[in-house]
Amino acid sequence: MKRFRNGRIVLHACLMAGLLLAGTLTLAQEAAAPGASTPGASTPGELVARYPSGSIQSEATANRALLEIEQQRNALDQKYAAEERECYAKFFATPCLDAAKERRRAAKAEIRKVEVEADTYLRANRVVQRDEKLAEKRANEAANPPKPLADLAVKPAPQSDADKEKENRQRIAEHEAKRKERQQDQINDAPNHAQAAVAYQKKVQDAQARQRDVAAKKAEKEKQAAAKAANAAAAQSATSSSANAAPPAPVSAPGAKP
């Protein structure tokens, strides 16, 4: 009984392993099939044949080509992932991986030509559309030029003679009021001006007195320095004269022989 139960367990494990292996192989085949993951995608060769050089002449065609190129890239990456798993299962995995990488590189280089042409057309088309919009804007501005500022300005209503006379009398009255105000300000500020003049005169006199005091002190210092220098020179001269004088003659003692 125990042996029968163990056999059933082994058989169940084998069945599960077989199912897992079959599922893995099915996923690999679906990934390797061109365009299987993205409906509408074709092989790189078919894509290049569908968009030969110079065939992209509209924005819609360029956008469709870029969409198919993106689908092709995804399909190539999925195919390479499946081939990579198969290579790792082989004994010599490195040559298998190198060959898979080279196939993916060559395929992407082939569809890259179509991508460059589509991008180039879209950039040129954007420039053309921009130039057309600018030309249309200039044409509209030329057809509808802006009105001069003089026409837009609000012109004042003409004044009557009575209004002009009233405005002149008001201007004269304002001028007379300002003149009287200035005179009154001058009268009120007269004492202040007098005090300021007296204070200024005192400052001038004080400054002149300080200048005379400074000049006198300077002259006194120069006089003392000159006297000191003269005394020093006289003392030095007297010392030199004493040093240069001849010594006195010796005196003979009484009774000494000449």
Side-chain angles (χ1 to χ4, degrees), residues 114-146:
V114 180
E115 183 181 27
V116 169
E117 184 172 351
D119 288 337
T120 302
Y121 176 82
L122 290 177
R123 284 195 298 269
N125 188 51
R126 284 194 291 268
V127 173
V128 171
Q129 291 178 355
R130 183 193 61 191
D131 293 343
E132 289 177 352
K133 290 181 180 179
L134 290 175
E136 183 179 359
K137 182 179 179 182
R138 295 192 187 99
N140 292 333
E141 291 177 353
N144 302 308

Side-chain angles (χ1 to χ4, degrees), residues 87 90-97:
C87 290
K90 297 180 180 180
F91 183 76
F92 296 103
T94 301
C96 181
L97 290 172

Side-chain angles (χ1 to χ4, degrees), residues 12 60 109 126 154 181 196 214 226-227 258:
H12 182 70
R126 284 194 291 268
V154 179
E181 185 178 358
V214 170

Side-chain angles (χ1 to χ4, degrees), residues 29-46:
Q29 290 174 358
E30 291 178 355
S37 61
T38 53
S42 60
T43 63
E46 292 175 353

Side-chain angles (χ1 to χ4, degrees), residues 95-116:
C96 181
L97 290 172
D98 293 341
K101 290 179 181 179
E102 178 59 25
R103 286 192 296 271
R104 183 180 63 169
R105 186 203 63 77
K108 287 188 176 183
E110 192 174 3
I111 63 177
R112 172 63 180 163
K113 300 175 184 178
V114 180
E115 183 181 27
V116 169

Side-chain angles (χ1 to χ4, degrees), residues 26-222:
T26 301
L27 291 175
Q29 290 174 358
E30 291 178 355
S37 61
T38 53
S42 60
T43 63
E46 292 175 353
L47 191 148
V48 173
R50 188 159 52 252
Y51 300 102
S53 179
S55 62
I56 299 177
Q57 297 296 328
S58 68
E59 185 176 356
T61 304
N63 290 328
R64 186 170 61 252
L66 292 176
L67 178 61
E68 293 184 16
I69 289 168
E70 186 63 25
Q71 293 174 348
Q72 270 299 315
R73 281 206 179 95
N74 293 334
L76 289 171
D77 291 338
Q78 293 175 3
K79 181 179 179 181
Y80 173 76
E83 292 178 349
E84 188 179 29
R85 288 192 296 269
E86 293 177 0
C87 290
Y88 282 128
K90 297 180 180 180
F91 183 76
F92 296 103
T94 301
C96 181
L97 290 172
D98 293 341
K101 290 179 181 179
E102 178 59 25
R103 286 192 296 271
R104 183 180 63 169
R105 186 203 63 77
K108 287 188 176 183
E110 192 174 3
I111 63 177
R112 172 63 180 163
K113 300 175 184 178
V114 180
E115 183 181 27
V116 169
E117 184 172 351
D119 288 337
T120 302
Y121 176 82
L122 290 177
R123 284 195 298 269
N125 188 51
R126 284 194 291 268
V127 173
V128 171
Q129 291 178 355
R130 183 193 61 191
D131 293 343
E132 289 177 352
K133 290 181 180 179
L134 290 175
E136 183 179 359
K137 182 179 179 182
R138 295 192 187 99
N140 292 333
E141 291 177 353
N144 302 308
K147 295 182 179 181
L149 296 178
D151 296 343
L152 298 177
V154 179
K155 296 181 180 179
Q159 290 181 329
S160 62
D161 294 340
D163 292 337
K164 292 181 180 179
E165 183 65 22
K166 181 180 180 181
E167 185 177 353
N168 291 334
R169 287 197 302 270
Q170 184 177 0
R171 189 181 300 110
I172 294 171
E174 291 176 354
H175 178 73
E176 185 66 18
K178 290 181 179 179
R179 186 184 65 81
K180 290 181 179 180
E181 185 178 358
R182 286 195 298 271
Q183 288 180 349
Q184 187 63 35
D185 291 341
Q186 291 176 357
I187 294 173
N188 295 335
D189 292 341
N192 297 331
H193 290 317
Q195 294 176 1
V198 171
Y200 175 74
Q201 186 65 27
K202 186 176 184 303
K203 288 182 179 179
V204 171
Q205 293 175 356
D206 293 341
Q208 291 176 350
R210 285 194 298 271
Q211 291 178 356
R212 288 194 296 270
D213 188 22
V214 170
K217 290 181 179 180
K218 183 178 179 182
E220 181 64 24
K221 288 182 179 180
E222 291 178 351

